[in-house]
Amino acid sequence: MKQLKIFKLIMISCILTLILAGCGAKEPKWDTFEGALNEKSFPVPHEANSPDQTTTNVAMDYVRYSLPGLKEKNGIPDPYLEAIKAWGWTEQEDDDSDSSGVFLKDGLTVHLTVHDDYFVVMIPKEKKTSIKGLKTK
């Protein structure tokens, strides 16, 4: 009889732990924003975490921000789109995907892609090539 009571207590404890763990997954807040590391005029949620430096490749400067609760299948959240537009950015309607967008402001272009629990802010590098000729006297 005593073993049955202990077994019931263990089962109840396990069930409560699972319930509390499920309730612990918090949704991102969309009330405070700051400038992105690679473009200060583009907003990112204040609670998003990122490395201290941007990652660079030949074509893009990009920063990956972790944000638990973000889901790729839900696309860019409406409150985030509203904040981006409030900061003066306009969205290009060329992309069919809800999980990515291209935004323009003052000649700058920013690509935003949303994934599960993180998003990426990318800025294309301008190709600045100049050919200098030899001057002969």
Side-chain angles (χ1 to χ4, degrees):
M1 192 66 145
K2 190 173 185 177
Q3 290 178 345
L4 186 59
K5 285 184 179 182
I6 292 173
F7 179 73
K8 285 182 181 179
L9 284 174
I10 291 172
M11 289 302 294
I12 290 172
S13 296
C14 290
I15 291 171
L16 286 175
T17 301
L18 289 174
I19 290 172
L20 291 176
C23 294
K26 66 176 190 171
E27 291 290 320
K29 294 180 183 176
W30 302 104
D31 54 356
T32 310
F33 296 88
E34 59 187 18
L37 290 175
N38 52 349
E39 178 53 54
K40 296 296 182 194
S41 68
F42 191 82
V44 296
H46 182 70
E47 65 185 294
N49 295 320
S50 67
D52 291 336
Q53 61 187 26
T54 60
T55 307
T56 306
N57 68 20
V58 176
M60 296 272 191
D61 287 331
Y62 63 93
V63 179
R64 180 178 182 224
Y65 292 90
S66 64
L67 189 60
L70 200 59
K71 298 295 178 199
E72 182 175 357
K73 68 180 179 182
N74 296 338
I76 302 171
D78 289 335
Y80 191 19
L81 282 174
E82 291 170 13
I84 293 169
K85 291 175 184 176
W87 282 43
W89 292 86
T90 56
E91 183 176 12
Q92 299 300 297
E93 301 296 331
D94 297 341
D95 196 359
D96 292 335
S97 173
D98 289 336
S99 63
S100 65
V102 178
F103 301 91
L104 297 175
K105 178 182 175 182
D106 300 331
L108 297 172
T109 303
V110 172
H111 296 259
L112 175 68
T113 58
V114 174
H115 305 274
D116 290 343
D117 297 325
Y118 73 95
F119 65 96
V120 180
V121 176
M122 299 174 282
I123 300 174
K125 287 185 176 180
E126 293 181 31
K127 294 183 179 178
K128 296 180 181 177
T129 57
S130 61
I131 300 173
K132 294 182 180 179
L134 294 174
K135 292 183 180 179
T136 56
K137 291 185 182 179

